[in-house]
Amino acid sequence: MAAAATTYFETGRSIRSRAVERNTDVLASQPARRRGVRTPEFYFTRHFDNTRLVKAPDPVRVREMRVFSAAVTVLFTLIMFYGLQHFSAIEKSYRVESEKQQLDQLREENRQLRLSEAQLTQPSRIDSMARQYGLASPQPGQVVHPNAALDSTNAAPSLAQIAPPAAPQAAPIQ
């Protein structure tokens, strides 16, 4: 079939003259296409007047569409609910993992603090620092324990006293 291009702006020619021209083009091109077998093809213009048609209401179709819409809405709601739960579970698993890492970090920090406390509370270190500040060892009877019973020989508790250092000593370089 030969394509006859018609445009909206083709004025002066009627639809009938264009159809006749197209039919002659088709008839002329048929022998080349069909190898000598002639089958005439004709095109006729048809005019349909649908202005008098009125769509009749179909209650069965309306009910089917409502049921379908309700089913799609329920399915969409279920899928969205599942998605919400799924992404919420993923978010909570990330939060649990970050809190586990934070707990491990706090445990390590606690371990470091305990080691630091153990180093700082060594009796030999405390004794050497006390001697640097001029503190002396307590004399017998200076230490009073609150839970211990008072001796009958020494009924009054005594207070601890600071003894001034004998001579200022130079601090050793470490």
Side-chain angles (χ1 to χ4, degrees), residues 102-119:
Q102 185 179 9
L103 180 65
D104 290 341
Q105 181 182 2
L106 290 174
R107 283 182 179 160
E108 178 62 25
E109 185 178 341
N110 191 13
R111 188 183 72 79
Q112 292 292 333
L113 289 174
R114 287 182 192 268
L115 285 174
S116 174
E117 179 189 16
Q119 287 177 343

Side-chain angles (χ1 to χ4, degrees), residues 126-140 142-143 160-166:
I126 293 173
D127 189 44
S128 66
M129 287 181 70
R131 290 190 195 283
Q132 284 178 354
Y133 290 124
L135 299 175
S137 298
Q139 299 299 322
Q142 278 186 321
V143 178
Q161 298 176 355
I162 298 175

Side-chain angles (χ1 to χ4, degrees), residues 1-3 22-35:
M1 279 196 280
R22 191 169 60 169
N23 286 339
T24 57
D25 288 343
V26 169
L27 283 174
S29 67
Q30 280 182 358
R33 284 187 324 175
R34 304 269 179 144
R35 297 186 184 144

